[in-house]
Amino acid sequence: MDGESSVARFGQDGDVPQVTLTCSPLDRTVTLRLARAPAVPPAGTAITVTTTGTRRMLSAKAEAGGVNAVAVPPTDPILGEMAFSRGRFMLELPGMAPLYLPVWSEIGRVIDDCR
């Protein structure tokens, strides 16, 4: 928990998280934030999510600090795909190496907190 919001963070210990999944209970939205590497094209580029069962591009918006963010309704099937993919799922942003994230219970918790 971070205040009123549920948060799952992925990254190296002690570093700024590369990926953050946040539930905002006030507007019932799950936001996926992906930090960009310095040499990556401008923020606002689509993030591609690949799971065991699907591959989908999500339109991202630019946020401060070089972050691409996607707000997703908690009922969107892509969230369930991320939570229940076999072992891990992949996030891609043009100009960056793909990120492979483990399917940990924190992802499901964040999604469930918004439902």
Side-chain angles (χ1 to χ4, degrees), residues 15-93:
D15 286 346
V16 174
Q18 289 181 292
V19 177
T20 306
L21 203 66
T22 307
C23 165
S24 174
L26 295 176
D27 60 5
R28 305 294 251 190
T29 300
V30 175
T31 303
L32 171 67
R33 290 182 175 88
L34 179 57
R36 295 181 297 119
V40 170
T45 306
I47 296 171
T48 303
V49 179
T50 304
T51 67
T52 302
T54 194
R55 180 176 174 90
R56 187 163 143 207
M57 293 179 74
L58 303 173
S59 294
K61 66 176 184 170
E63 287 189 344
V67 173
N68 279 1
V70 177
V72 182
T75 56
D76 190 312
I78 195 67
L79 295 174
E81 290 281 342
M82 289 166 56
F84 297 107
S85 191
R86 287 191 192 150
R88 60 187 177 166
F89 62 96
M90 180 175 66
L91 299 176
E92 294 175 281
L93 188 63

